[in-house]
Amino acid sequence: MARPIKETPVLRGKAAAKFNNQLFHNRNKRATSTEFEDLKRDFEFIKAMSRNAE
């Protein structure tokens, strides 16, 4: 039997400020072409595995 999913907590105080700072500093950061190719290869692998499970 599955467990119920808990609600996502709301960030407050220092945790919220840290999250907003990280979001602000990384807003224009892009993946390199090699990182993108690695992610794409991993996605294709997982997609193929899910087809085999059906």
Side-chain angles (χ1 to χ4, degrees):
M1 181 177 239
R3 296 182 190 168
I5 299 173
K6 296 180 183 178
E7 289 187 30
T8 304
V10 176
L11 294 177
R12 299 174 197 264
K14 290 181 183 178
K18 181 180 177 182
F19 177 80
N20 283 332
N21 285 335
Q22 287 176 340
L23 193 64
F24 178 77
H25 289 296
N26 293 324
R27 70 184 182 278
N28 293 325
K29 187 176 178 183
R30 304 280 186 215
T32 64
S33 59
T34 54
E35 289 173 330
F36 182 78
E37 289 300 322
D38 289 343
L39 290 170
K40 190 174 179 181
R41 186 177 60 247
D42 292 345
F43 168 76
E44 293 298 333
F45 175 75
I46 292 171
K47 190 167 103 175
M49 294 297 289
S50 68
R51 280 192 208 137
N52 293 338
E54 292 177 350

